[in-house]
Amino acid sequence: MRTAEVKRRFLAHFEARGHTVVPSAPLPAADPTLLFVNAGMVPFKPYMLGQETPPYTRAASVQKCVRTLDIDEVGKTTRHGTFFQMNGNFSFGDYFKEEAIRFAWDLVTAPLSEGGYGLDADRIWASVYREDDEAAGLWRDVIGLPAERIVRRGKADNFWSMGVPGPSGPCSELFYDRGPEFGREGGPEADEDRYMEFWNLVFMQYERGEGTGKDDYPIVGELPARNIDTGMGLERMAALLQGVDNLYEVDETRPILDRAAELTGKVYGARAAMDRHPDDVRLRVVADHVRTALMLIGDGVTPANEGRGYVLRRILRRAVRAMRLLGFADPALPELLPVARDTMAPSYPELAADFERIASAAYGEEDAFRATLRQGSALLDEALDATRGSLPASTAFRLHDTYGFPIDLTVEIAAERGLDVDVPGFRALMDEQRRRAKADAQAKKSGHADVGPFRAVLDESGPTEWLAYETLDTESTVQAIFRDGVPVTSAPDGSLAVVVLDRTPFYAESGGQDSDAGRLEASDAVAEVLDVQRPIKGLVTHLVRVTGGEIALGARVRAHVDPEWRLGARQAHSGTHVVHAALRQVLGPAALQSGSYNRPGYLRLDFAWRGGLSPAIRSEVEEAANVALRRDYPVDVRYMSLARAREIGALALFGETYDETVRVVEIGGAWSRELCGGTHVERAAQIGSIALTSEASVGAGRRRVEAVTGIEAFRYLARERDLVARVAEQVGAPRDELPERIAALVERLKTVERENRRLLDERTAGEAARLASGALDVAGVAYVGTATDADPRALARRVRDAIPARRPAVVAALAPKSLVIAVNDAARGRGLAAADLLRGVGRGGGGDDVAQGPVPESGADVLNVLADLIGSRVD
């Protein structure tokens, strides 16, 4: 039974029993305590905590999940994987233990012909929490499971939580006996390879607090209602029904593994103890990581150096490096990712429709990693050569921060050479860098990172009445004032403060749009609004500089948005939508936005694309954008359900979480239709004009365009016109002849440079011949040691080649910043190697023929030291 069919039967079973089928949430978690959704119940957490009222009392889903805590174990065992799918049925204050147990039993034991999974009831075991007599009784008395197949286990095994404060409760796990060929008898406690867990029924009735581990946390109270949260591992059930050994061999994973084996010439599982053989481990890593990367990019995650993007980057690079260790040095992802797409598309058709964007991000990251490997590996090898015991944290941090060499790869390569890395020290340096960056960013915003005081204001005074769409002016009351994060009763002249109003017309920074600027005016005070933020949902804060008088708590103020600022912001945000639509019109739907920022008169937009845009393509995009302005497309704002927005093709930023009712902004109808909360013009012509100012790479598979709008676009084009006029005057040519005239000047410059290089080569050749003729004889080896201001590598090779090939020769060229040693074939035949000689007098790297390193501490005397070293080492 294919995995997609396992999924279909599960949803059909529960839909027939009154459950609402809920689509999988995106992998990037809305929960701030998580990077990714790591369990099927995560999207339902607010319902279980009583924070939100669920729109249904019963639900079923097949949720995409990613767990990376055990990423280093992936492939080493057949039970660990990063991406998996969790079938789940949920009850929010409706049914509880008995119904949950009945529903599960009916599905897994019903015959295939009746829509079930057809498992042998005599091979199913159940575990319960050691104190849960009710669940044990239900399995024994209602289902009829023999007492010897009901196992009681402790909190670590049978009391479930997300690993963070939140809903929790006792659970009952289902296991299937796969037979004696998989292990010894005795139930799950004897062998969990033979007795495979496939479903966990969680009786969610408590809230847990902070703690570590699976059992070291307090229960802080009961939930508002008793809930059911079950999780059936889709891949595990597929393995059982497909008769394969593990999750790497099901139909959604095995084809990737097989393609990797084919490319590398390996045979998976050909050896005894295959779980531990390095080749089989690496093939499993490839299969798991390629599929995980496909799903993460499909949900909008892009490779980066922080957060979710770093996890994706690490997964992609581990897959690529595993292929290299298996002997495949060519680009691997173009061979593997399409296979992953074909295996997953039956369950997730959007992967096929959006594959061009997904592939662009993945292939670009592999290209970048291959370049990183070339540059960073040489530096790491040099550092490891000089390491005894543990690589210093400062070296690992420099490799990461300067060259993009990931710490996990540094650790892996060092371990292969029997060396450690000071990882705690590296983490400390990374944390310090993050603290500085966070402090700098926070200082530019509210100056206050702790949201606790803001939450107290929200609880006491209620949410801010936000009127940015309706007006530029409000009469408001000051509800709170903070200075340096501390609540105060007033802010005097000249001070910076964060002010909370009961109602505001100011747009708070969000969705890529910068916040509004303007003023707060009281009867005897004025404050300039510098920044507007939403530190918590429902509350708007204003960072102000008091420029006259004193702003006091409880004062009535007039909040006034600068109308010119707002106009420029509206032009820029609508311009962002227009540029996005123009890019998709010219390049195709794969050129999908992955981030944006706009402020009055300026916009930048990041989008998925590999390779730079030619001047002709840039001009075409710019023209398409301005044609839309000339046509004066209407800009319409509509509110609708999220499902309806998706149905009509509204574009959303990947990875974002949206409410059920969303705001859709259309420019020219379907030409540009996006989910957006920003401020916009009423018609496209009000943008004025759009001028693209730059286009560049901002990461693997991502490009960035920058543009100016409105009056700023006019000023930009005026400056360009003036610049052309000045250049035309300086070169003495009409404007329309500038390209040809400048091309002729450049060609003349190249001719002069070529002549200079020719003369320099002649001089170097003459110098080389002179030095070669004066070579010293050191134990039968021609030795030249010389100081030079020229290129030491070129000179050393020239001198070496000027000495007869049959005569052993060593040449050392000492420049102000480096030492180069060149050795000919005859000298290598006498046991001399350039890299060995270099390490004998200093440090550096290279091969047997040429090596290079920094100037040794002995300085110019190193040339004499080398002569002695040659004499001692020559065979």
Side-chain angles (χ1 to χ4, degrees):
M1 185 183 299
R2 291 184 63 84
T3 302
E5 176 62 12
V6 179
K7 172 181 175 180
R8 188 200 65 78
R9 287 178 180 242
F10 180 88
L11 294 176
H13 176 81
F14 283 100
E15 187 173 26
R17 287 156 180 78
H19 292 66
T20 299
V21 174
V22 179
S24 173
L27 283 167
D31 188 324
T33 65
L34 300 169
L35 280 179
F36 301 110
V37 173
N38 63 358
M41 59 76 61
V42 170
F44 304 108
K45 180 180 174 183
Y47 305 154
M48 295 183 177
L49 287 172
Q51 297 170 338
E52 297 181 21
T53 302
Y56 30 68
T57 58
R58 300 181 177 195
S61 69
V62 177
Q63 175 61 49
K64 298 175 286 187
C65 302
V66 165
R67 292 180 187 169
T68 57
L69 288 176
D70 296 325
I71 191 171
D72 293 325
E73 296 303 312
V74 170
K76 295 178 182 177
T77 76
T78 57
R79 289 182 294 173
H80 290 88
T82 49
F83 171 81
F84 60 96
Q85 299 157 89
M86 190 62 72
N87 296 357
N89 60 286
F90 306 89
S91 165
F92 309 110
D94 188 357
Y95 62 83
F96 202 48
K97 291 183 183 179
E98 181 172 350
E99 293 89 341
I101 289 172
R102 281 185 180 275
F103 289 156
W105 184 261
D106 290 347
L107 175 60
V108 299
T109 60
L112 297 177
S113 60
E114 297 178 12
Y117 293 140
L119 295 185
D120 183 351
D122 293 336
R123 298 169 69 176
I124 297 176
W125 291 59
S127 68
V128 298
Y129 181 49
R130 62 189 170 202
E131 299 174 10
D132 194 349
D133 295 333
E134 180 185 4
L138 288 169
W139 282 114
R140 183 185 64 246
D141 302 332
V142 175
I143 300 303
L145 201 63
E148 61 269 20
R149 299 213 311 268
I150 303 170
V151 181
R152 291 180 183 258
R153 306 180 85 172
K155 190 175 181 181
D157 293 304
N158 276 75
F159 202 95
W160 192 92
S161 78
M162 291 168 53
V164 295
S168 65
C171 62
S172 180
E173 298 174 322
L174 297 182
F175 301 82
Y176 194 70
D177 181 0
R178 298 195 289 168
E181 64 270 28
F182 288 94
R184 65 185 186 277
E185 293 185 8
E189 292 194 303
D191 193 327
E192 285 199 19
D193 282 328
R194 171 173 172 171
Y195 299 88
M196 178 187 284
E197 178 200 341
F198 63 87
W199 205 338
N200 189 5
L201 315 179
V202 182
F203 311 126
M204 201 75 78
Q205 59 192 107
Y206 302 110
E207 183 174 356
R208 63 155 281 185
E210 292 279 3
T212 58
K214 293 184 176 181
D215 54 4
D216 183 20
Y217 55 82
I219 300 299
V220 297
E222 294 207 4
L223 295 173
R226 298 193 307 175
N227 308 305
I228 287 295
D229 156 32
T230 85
M232 173 202 285
L234 179 56
E235 286 82 2
R236 290 198 178 189
M237 180 55 73
L240 290 175
L241 296 178
Q242 292 172 19
V244 298
D245 184 62
N246 55 68
L247 62 90
Y248 292 99
E249 298 178 9
V250 300
D251 61 303
E252 290 188 347
T253 311
R254 183 60 188 255
I256 312 169
L257 188 152
D258 288 343
R259 180 60 177 149
E262 179 185 354
L263 291 169
T264 58
K266 307 298 182 181
V267 179
Y268 179 69
R271 294 153 293 269
M274 57 178 275
D275 281 0
R276 296 185 296 276
H277 193 280
D279 286 351
D280 290 332
V281 170
R282 288 163 184 156
L283 287 169
R284 288 194 290 268
V285 167
V286 170
D288 173 85
H289 285 9
V290 169
R291 188 170 77 131
T292 302
L294 171 81
M295 303 307 295
L296 286 173
I297 301 172
D299 274 359
V301 183
T302 54
N305 285 330
E306 293 287 341
R308 299 179 179 114
Y310 178 71
V311 174
L312 171 60
R313 172 162 285 167
R314 184 181 182 194
I315 285 170
L316 280 167
R317 293 186 171 193
R318 279 172 58 89
V320 171
R321 185 160 187 269
M323 288 294 289
R324 292 174 68 89
L325 292 174
L326 287 165
F328 190 76
D330 294 335
L333 293 179
E335 300 287 346
L336 299 170
L337 202 67
V339 180
R341 172 201 61 200
D342 294 343
T343 64
M344 298 303 295
S347 291
Y348 303 98
E350 63 273 15
L351 295 172
D354 203 24
F355 187 69
E356 189 175 350
R357 177 188 65 84
I358 296 169
S360 177
Y363 301 165
E365 178 62 22
E366 180 172 16
D367 291 344
F369 183 47
R370 288 165 63 84
T372 294
L373 282 176
R374 286 192 296 271
Q375 184 176 29
S377 293
L379 296 168
L380 178 58
D381 286 343
E382 182 180 333
L384 293 174
D385 284 342
T387 297
R388 298 292 181 269
S390 182
L391 187 74
S394 58
T395 303
F397 179 77
R398 180 171 64 88
L399 282 165
H400 170 86
D401 194 49
T402 305
Y403 301 102
F405 210 74
I407 181 61
D408 54 284
L409 190 56
T410 298
V411 171
E412 286 183 17
I413 293 174
E416 290 167 1
R417 298 177 59 167
L419 299 171
D420 295 326
V421 178
D422 181 6
V423 175
F426 170 84
R427 300 292 182 206
L429 291 172
M430 288 293 295
D431 288 343
E432 178 60 29
Q433 184 186 60
R434 291 190 189 100
R435 280 194 296 271
R436 288 197 302 268
K438 188 173 182 180
D440 290 345
Q442 193 60 44
K444 295 174 183 176
K445 298 295 180 186
S446 67
H448 180 39
D450 182 11
V451 299
F454 293 138
R455 193 169 298 281
V457 174
L458 181 64
D459 292 342
E460 181 178 342
S461 305
T464 305
E465 185 181 1
W466 188 62
L467 301 169
Y469 295 149
E470 286 81 26
T471 183
L472 297 180
D473 295 272
T474 60
E475 294 296 327
S476 308
T477 301
V478 177
Q479 292 185 313
I481 303 174
F482 296 90
R483 293 188 63 196
D484 298 322
V486 178
V488 295
T489 58
S490 64
D493 186 13
S495 66
L496 283 174
V498 174
V499 174
V500 181
L501 305 175
D502 63 336
R503 58 206 309 257
T504 181
F506 285 90
Y507 184 85
E509 180 182 354
S510 64
Q513 181 175 329
D514 203 353
S515 61
D516 279 332
R519 301 186 311 281
L520 302 184
E521 299 174 349
S523 58
D524 56 353
V526 177
E528 178 187 2
V529 176
L530 305 176
D531 188 38
V532 187
Q533 295 291 321
R534 294 179 185 268
I536 57 175
K537 187 176 182 179
L539 200 72
V540 177
T541 62
H542 310 74
L543 177 64
V544 305
R545 177 185 289 111
V546 182
T547 57
E550 184 176 68
I551 297 290
L553 189 65
R556 293 290 293 172
V557 298
R558 175 174 175 257
H560 174 68
V561 177
D562 182 339
E564 287 298 315
W565 180 280
R566 173 67 72 83
L567 173 60
R570 293 164 64 206
Q571 290 174 320
H573 203 149
S574 295
T576 304
H577 287 223
V578 168
V579 171
H580 186 203
L583 282 165
R584 289 167 59 79
Q585 176 181 317
V586 174
L587 300 177
L592 197 62
Q593 176 184 329
S594 59
S596 68
Y597 170 75
N598 52 81
R599 63 172 186 264
Y602 167 84
L603 68 90
R604 71 168 185 251
L605 186 146
D606 297 346
F607 62 101
W609 198 253
R610 294 185 76 199
L613 304 187
S614 67
I617 292 294
R618 285 179 55 179
S619 295
E620 191 175 349
V621 171
E622 188 175 64
E623 181 174 349
N626 283 287
V627 164
L629 308 194
R630 189 178 68 219
R631 290 176 178 168
D632 197 20
Y633 285 144
V635 180
D636 297 317
V637 176
R638 295 193 286 158
Y639 291 86
M640 62 187 70
S641 69
L642 180 58
R644 175 58 181 160
R646 286 174 171 156
E647 183 181 320
I648 66 174
L651 300 176
L653 191 63
F654 281 102
E656 289 293 315
T657 300
Y658 297 93
D659 295 332
E660 277 306 306
T661 299
V662 294
R663 185 172 184 259
V664 177
V665 176
E666 295 180 343
I667 302 178
W671 186 74
S672 171
R673 182 177 284 153
E674 301 188 30
L675 272 60
C676 181
T679 61
H680 290 272
V681 296
E682 284 78 32
R683 299 193 67 87
Q686 293 173 353
I687 297 172
S689 60
I690 294 173
L692 298 187
T693 58
S694 72
E695 185 272 332
S697 170
V698 287
R702 282 201 305 159
R703 308 295 298 180
R704 171 174 293 171
V705 292
E706 295 181 277
V708 285
T709 60
I711 192 66
E712 289 302 323
F714 170 79
R715 291 168 179 160
Y716 171 80
L717 294 173
R719 289 194 298 271
E720 292 285 294
R721 178 195 62 201
D722 294 343
L723 177 61
V724 170
R726 290 200 302 273
V727 172
E729 183 179 354
Q730 288 176 350
V731 301
R735 295 187 186 191
D736 57 357
E737 294 180 10
L738 273 180
E740 293 80 7
R741 183 65 62 88
I742 292 174
L745 289 173
V746 170
E747 185 56 39
R748 284 175 58 191
L749 180 60
K750 289 179 179 178
T751 300
V752 171
E753 289 176 345
R754 285 194 294 269
E755 179 63 15
N756 285 340
R757 281 197 300 270
R758 186 186 65 78
L759 293 173
L760 180 61
D761 285 346
E762 288 181 358
R763 194 181 93 180
T764 303
E767 179 70 4
R770 183 186 66 78
L771 290 169
S773 65
L776 301 176
D777 185 285
V778 177
V781 175
Y783 171 63
V784 174
T786 182
T788 181
D789 290 327
D791 178 356
R793 199 174 187 91
L795 181 62
R797 284 177 165 174
R798 285 265 193 166
V799 175
R800 179 195 63 186
D801 295 344
I803 296 173
R806 65 182 179 277
R807 185 181 182 192
V810 176
V811 179
L814 180 66
K817 292 185 178 181
S818 64
L819 171 67
V820 175
I821 299 174
V823 177
N824 68 4
D825 290 341
R828 290 200 293 277
R830 298 285 301 275
L832 299 175
D836 289 341
L837 291 172
L838 182 64
R839 283 191 289 267
V841 296
R843 58 190 178 89
D848 291 345
D849 57 340
V850 179
Q852 183 170 354
V855 175
E857 293 181 2
S858 56
D861 194 46
V862 69
L863 299 176
N864 296 324
V865 174
L866 261 172
D868 295 337
L869 185 62
I870 293 168
S872 66
R873 291 195 176 182
V874 67
D875 291 340

